[in-house]
Amino acid sequence: MRSEFRLPALGADMEHAVLVEWRVRPGDRVARGDVVAAVETDKGVIDLECFETGEVCELVASPGTRVDVGGVLALLEVEASAGPIAAARAPAPSSRPVEPSAIASATAAPPRAAAGRVRVSPAARARAHDLGIALEGIAGTGAGGAIELADVEAAAPPAAAATAPAESPAAPRDPVAAMRAAIASAMARSKREIPHYYLTLAMNLDPALAWLERHNASVEPAGRLLYPALVLKAVALAASEVPGFNGHFREGRFEPAAAVHVGVAIALRGGGLIAPAILDAAGKPLDVLMSEFRDLVSRARTARLRSSELTSPTITVTSLGDVGVEAVLPVIHPPQVAMVGAGSVLQRPWVADGAIVARPVMTLALAADHRVSDGRSGAQFLDRIRQKLGAPEAL
Amino acid sequence: MNREELKAVLVELLTGVAPDVDPAALLPGVDFRDQFDFDSMDTLNFAIAMHQSLGVNVPETDYAKLASLDKCVAYLELRQG
Amino acid sequence: MSTRITYREAVREALREALAADPRVFLMGEDVGRYGGCFAVSKGLLEEFGEERIRDTPLAESGFVGAGIGAALGGMRPIVEIMTGNFSLLALDQIINTAATLCHMSGGQFHVPLVIRMGTGAGRQLAAQHSHSFEGWYAHVPGIRIAVPATIDDARGMLRAALASPDPVLIFEPISLYNMEGEVTEAASAVRLEGAAIRRPGRDLSVITSGASLWKCLEAADALASEGVEAEVIDLRMLRPLDDAMLLESLARTHRALVVDEGWRSVGLAAEVGMRLVEQGFYELDAPVARVCTAEVPIPYPRHLEEAALPSAPVIAEAARRLVGHAK
């Protein structure tokens, strides 16, 4: 069966990408999850994974061209059972450790009807026709992902739509500004749509840090852990145990996720922010999680992330621990429903056995979606994270 | 390895850890953190790189001595005796 | 110059003016004379105009509506009051088979210049047999005009325009509005029996309604405005003929439409309005046309159930939010 390999939306705010290079040639065999191309997005260069298993027939897009989300990149010959619609309809990833292609395609491309028809409002369709814009690849923000008038107008090249094709790869492009715009769009949507509530909890990190110090002293540098890795693991475990914080809110309802893919907010040195996921963080031993965390940070900073890492987070953690802030109250990344902020570890007066002593204290903050959870379960979730961090040997 | 050779190796390791750092703009006396917004992850990666290429296992308690290029050189010279 | 009066007084003033202006005009209906009207609309008119012109009738809707048709054919200008829309069903044969058809069946030789006024709608705890909204049903029928005055000016001015019509006009007065106070403005003297009216301009969606629901829509629009959503509220005024041009002109600006009707949803007025928008304005629509109607039950008696069954400002506002993608 002939299948179109289309550019997936690597995040709700992505509208297009520039094809950097192909990693396959016509005739090559590809399997689900194989990296087939690299595309440049507002979030940097992303390795694009294939959704299906089959043979590459034709490379439709050539390197250097801009492709809209949903635009056809290549044609594949695939086994009949693994059609793109079946893949797109697949349920959220199960507890199997890593299934990148399923995760990527679950949020790929604008939702379509079974017949492959894009949902477009009549007014949007008419406007797109007037502007001469292809509807394929416009990211719809309406109900069920429908493309509406505003989406078409946002996709229109600024000012003169009639002149100069904006697709020219030579057009000047400011990646920092583009990332800023992407963050602006996602954060504005978050604050517009998500009724956040916030809880904070200060905890004594001494047991965790003492354990960490002993562990790190006993291993070579490559085996050492950073305390944020403990926080990531604790959050992942708590999210898998306390319901209502791990998953996505889509079309008016909460869809819990089976596995916990923890998004890690990573600040980029040139400015900007990206939050790729450590897949199935709850199910990984600490040393594996740490090495993936290190790998993720370095690839985020060199802009070599994989598409599945960007589309899969089910909850996100941010840490501003190196900067000295007391607490960080995060803004949830839609369509996720919770985000945990870890403040700096600061020496603070702490009451232990009735005496005031100096202890390393960290303030954990939870921002959660009040459509999905309430303060009491939020408090239980934060407390569960504290319990996990209080027993680091069990992480 | 003399001081200049050591410096050259360290700069190479540094840019390996943080490819977005421009070696030409590096100020040897200023902390990496203040120059390049280095964080604990960068420090760890730097320590790993030093261990792998120079064979020097820097304990976590000595990380503060790796804060700038000059401090690194002084620390390594001390360790090499 | 303007005067602050109730909707009831505005209708009474319109009756008084019509009775004074034209000797062919008379008012006929149950309890309109000695009792002063079930809703006290005609209070005092018997004393002022006498029994010949303010006529109490038996409880026989088919009979007195038929008498009204005969009087109209005979050159009079009768105003027939039917207590509530529910009771008008007893006169359906006269209204639909006779009043609405004679002009057509006589090849234009006979006109029936009859005005029928009736109370409509819920909101006063009068239960299922006195509270329904059938104006949408009547709007189905060619040969009659259907007017729903929702404002003081329309309550004051529509009767004069109806009496000037050569053909039957049904005026549906929402009983929940009789106590509403407002000002009669100069516009009341220029009221026409055609066209919808924009009661509040807005850019984000068109809320199309009529009768008592107008005020709920305006309340909802206020709430929406505080959230940055500007709803345009349109009062249909006339259910037959419908002012398609204004609805489409509004839709062309807002691209989203919410139809609010106190009638039931199924096969109702809101369906007709929505379908016209789709038929004629399909390429302007940026979202599916939405409806808020009365729950599909006979209107309940208990106040809380009656309120729950009817369109309310919060429900209208929430439907509007969903339509513009600002659902809470």
Side-chain angles (χ1 to χ4, degrees):
Chain A
M1 191 184 79
R2 192 60 68 97
S3 167
E4 289 172 339
F5 174 61
R6 293 168 181 270
L7 179 66
L10 306 169
D13 42 14
M14 173 173 151
E15 292 171 357
H16 49 75
V18 175
L19 179 64
V20 176
E21 61 179 353
W22 281 110
R23 304 277 178 80
V24 292
R25 285 177 303 184
D28 284 357
R29 291 286 304 170
V30 290
R32 282 170 69 114
D34 284 357
V35 172
V36 292
V39 292
E40 186 176 5
T41 72
D42 296 342
K43 294 174 176 173
V45 176
I46 308 294
D47 287 342
L48 212 54
E49 292 148 292
C50 188
F51 315 136
E52 298 169 284
T53 297
E55 187 180 316
V56 179
C57 302
E58 184 189 343
L59 302 178
V60 177
S62 43
T65 56
R66 197 181 86 166
V67 183
D68 288 333
V69 168
V72 177
L73 293 167
L75 296 177
L76 308 175
E77 187 68 32
V78 302
E79 288 87 21
S81 60
I85 290 158
R89 300 268 163 193
S94 68
S95 56
R96 282 168 58 198
V98 191
E99 189 79 335
S101 56
I103 295 156
S105 57
T107 50
R112 283 145 202 277
R117 190 172 158 81
V118 184
R119 292 168 69 126
V120 190
S121 89
R125 198 178 283 281
R127 183 85 181 121
H129 183 260
D130 289 347
L131 290 171
I133 299 176
L135 288 163
E136 275 68 30
I138 296 180
T141 60
I147 298 170
E148 294 183 344
L149 204 49
D151 301 322
V152 171
E153 278 163 2
T163 58
E167 279 70 19
S168 162
R173 190 170 166 281
D174 179 353
V176 175
M179 175 171 280
R180 197 71 250 159
I183 295 170
S185 156
M187 294 300 97
R189 178 182 158 202
S190 174
K191 281 288 183 168
R192 192 168 61 238
E193 294 179 1
I194 303 179
H196 289 65
Y197 70 89
Y198 303 95
L199 304 173
T200 62
L201 183 155
M203 64 170 295
N204 171 15
L205 210 58
D206 200 32
L209 294 182
W211 178 85
L212 199 64
E213 202 177 347
R214 282 197 304 277
H215 170 84
N216 286 350
S218 69
V219 296
E220 294 181 340
R224 288 177 196 161
L225 306 172
L226 294 175
Y227 83 87
L230 304 188
V231 176
L232 291 176
K233 183 72 190 286
V235 169
L237 288 173
S240 69
E241 292 170 13
V242 182
F245 302 92
N246 187 56
H248 302 110
F249 191 86
R250 289 200 182 98
E251 297 190 27
R253 60 189 194 86
F254 176 53
E255 298 167 358
V260 185
H261 306 308
V262 177
V264 186
I266 299 170
L268 305 182
R269 269 187 270 271
L273 177 72
I274 198 160
I278 295 177
L279 301 176
D280 193 27
K284 285 184 173 145
L286 260 184
D287 56 338
V288 175
L289 190 142
M290 181 65 208
S291 77
E292 290 193 9
F293 178 35
R294 281 205 302 122
D295 178 50
L296 203 60
V297 171
S298 91
R299 283 190 296 111
R301 289 181 171 164
T302 52
R304 297 303 297 197
L305 292 168
R306 290 168 72 94
S307 48
S308 57
E309 291 165 339
L310 281 179
T311 53
S312 59
T314 56
I315 184 171
T316 296
V317 176
T318 181
S319 167
L320 290 181
D322 281 341
V323 195
V325 296
E326 185 104 22
V328 48
L329 303 178
V331 180
I332 299 168
H333 195 99
Q336 292 165 51
V337 300
M339 185 156 171
V340 175
S344 305
V345 179
L346 302 165
Q347 288 293 325
R348 287 280 181 268
W350 188 262
V351 177
D353 297 328
I356 296 176
V357 291
R359 287 284 181 270
V361 173
M362 177 176 72
T363 299
L364 279 174
L366 168 71
D369 186 336
H370 220 326
R371 295 171 300 183
V372 176
S373 65
D374 302 318
R376 184 163 171 76
S377 57
Q380 286 166 343
F381 178 56
L382 267 187
D383 190 56
R384 190 65 60 92
I385 300 172
R386 171 172 57 184
Q387 289 170 24
K388 301 284 179 197
L389 282 172
E393 62 285 351
L395 283 174
Chain B
M1 207 182 290
N2 67 29
R3 176 168 294 197
E4 287 314 308
E5 287 167 349
L6 197 56
K7 267 192 180 177
V9 171
L10 286 171
V11 169
E12 199 184 315
L13 296 181
L14 204 58
T15 51
V17 167
D20 40 350
V21 164
D22 175 11
L26 185 121
L27 303 169
V30 180
D31 283 6
F32 300 136
R33 179 176 161 164
D34 298 330
Q35 282 192 77
F36 307 123
D37 205 11
F38 251 46
D39 58 17
S40 52
M41 182 69 86
D42 297 312
T43 306
L44 173 61
N45 285 330
F46 192 39
I48 293 170
M50 282 168 78
H51 183 237
Q52 283 167 352
S53 58
L54 298 172
V56 182
N57 183 348
V58 183
E60 202 175 37
T61 45
D62 281 353
Y63 282 0
K65 297 173 183 167
L66 306 179
S68 72
L69 189 60
D70 284 348
K71 286 177 185 168
C72 285
V73 171
Y75 176 78
L76 288 175
E77 283 177 344
L78 203 67
R79 285 284 300 262
Q80 288 173 338
Chain C
M1 204 193 80
S2 64
T3 336
R4 197 163 179 84
I5 59 171
T6 64
Y7 185 103
R8 172 188 292 107
E9 287 162 347
V11 177
R12 185 187 302 142
E13 281 307 303
L15 286 167
R16 184 178 279 126
E17 178 196 80
L19 288 158
D22 186 341
R24 297 173 300 172
V25 172
F26 68 97
L27 175 68
M28 170 165 68
E30 293 158 358
D31 285 337
V32 297
R34 278 175 190 79
Y35 188 63
C38 173
F39 296 107
V41 169
S42 53
K43 196 166 174 139
L45 296 183
L46 175 66
E47 292 75 13
E48 191 174 342
F49 294 99
E51 289 186 354
E52 282 290 304
R53 304 187 67 195
I54 307 295
R55 306 178 73 99
D56 279 321
T57 66
L59 305 185
E61 282 80 2
S62 184
F64 66 75
V65 170
I69 293 168
L73 287 168
M76 300 296 281
R77 289 292 182 271
I79 301 169
V80 172
E81 177 178 307
I82 302 177
M83 203 177 285
T84 73
N86 281 80
F87 302 162
S88 77
L89 304 185
L90 291 155
L92 272 180
D93 175 61
Q94 293 292 355
I95 297 169
I96 293 170
N97 281 335
T98 307
T101 59
L102 284 185
C103 175
H104 173 80
M105 293 183 73
S106 67
Q109 294 180 80
F110 299 129
H111 289 273
V112 182
L114 167 70
V115 174
I116 302 175
R117 297 173 39 246
M118 63 181 96
T120 188
R124 298 285 300 275
Q125 275 200 279
L126 296 176
Q129 291 168 326
H130 301 71
S131 300
H132 290 153
S133 298
F134 292 130
E135 52 270 31
W137 282 16
Y138 284 106
H140 178 64
V141 181
I144 50 180
R145 284 174 175 260
I146 308 300
V148 186
T151 63
I152 300 285
D153 276 350
D154 273 349
R156 179 66 181 80
M158 270 185 170
L159 182 67
R160 184 195 305 115
L163 285 166
S165 163
D167 295 309
V169 177
L170 273 60
I171 301 178
F172 288 83
E173 297 166 7
I175 58 176
S176 62
L177 295 185
Y178 278 130
N179 288 330
M180 178 179 75
E181 281 192 8
E183 292 185 343
V184 177
T185 69
E186 286 176 5
S189 56
V191 165
R192 292 161 58 108
L193 214 57
E194 60 185 28
I198 295 174
R199 300 300 186 194
R200 176 195 177 109
R203 58 165 197 272
D204 295 327
L205 79 157
S206 304
V207 179
I208 301 164
T209 189
S210 68
S213 301
L214 169 65
W215 303 98
K216 299 172 183 175
C217 293
L218 288 169
E219 189 186 334
D222 280 344
L224 292 165
S226 69
E227 301 161 20
V229 175
E230 292 296 336
E232 177 150 296
V233 180
I234 297 177
D235 174 8
L236 286 170
R237 298 182 66 249
M238 298 297 296
L239 306 192
R240 187 179 189 95
L242 281 168
D243 187 357
D244 294 5
M246 171 170 284
L247 303 184
L248 291 162
E249 184 269 329
S250 177
L251 183 68
R253 280 183 284 108
T254 64
H255 304 290
R256 284 156 207 265
L258 172 67
V259 190
V260 179
D261 179 26
E262 201 179 304
W264 294 297
R265 177 188 304 257
S266 298
V267 204
L269 173 70
E272 175 63 27
V273 172
M275 188 63 201
R276 288 184 186 219
L277 295 176
V278 173
E279 278 175 334
Q280 302 169 68
F282 183 77
Y283 293 104
E284 296 296 346
L285 286 168
D286 205 16
V289 176
R291 288 186 276 175
V292 172
C293 301
T294 288
E296 305 237 349
V297 291
I299 299 292
Y301 169 74
R303 180 177 299 285
H304 65 292
L305 293 181
E306 182 179 45
E307 283 172 359
L310 298 172
S312 66
V315 169
I316 294 164
E318 191 50 34
R321 283 184 202 108
R322 277 199 300 276
L323 200 56
V324 298
H326 285 213
K328 282 183 172 174

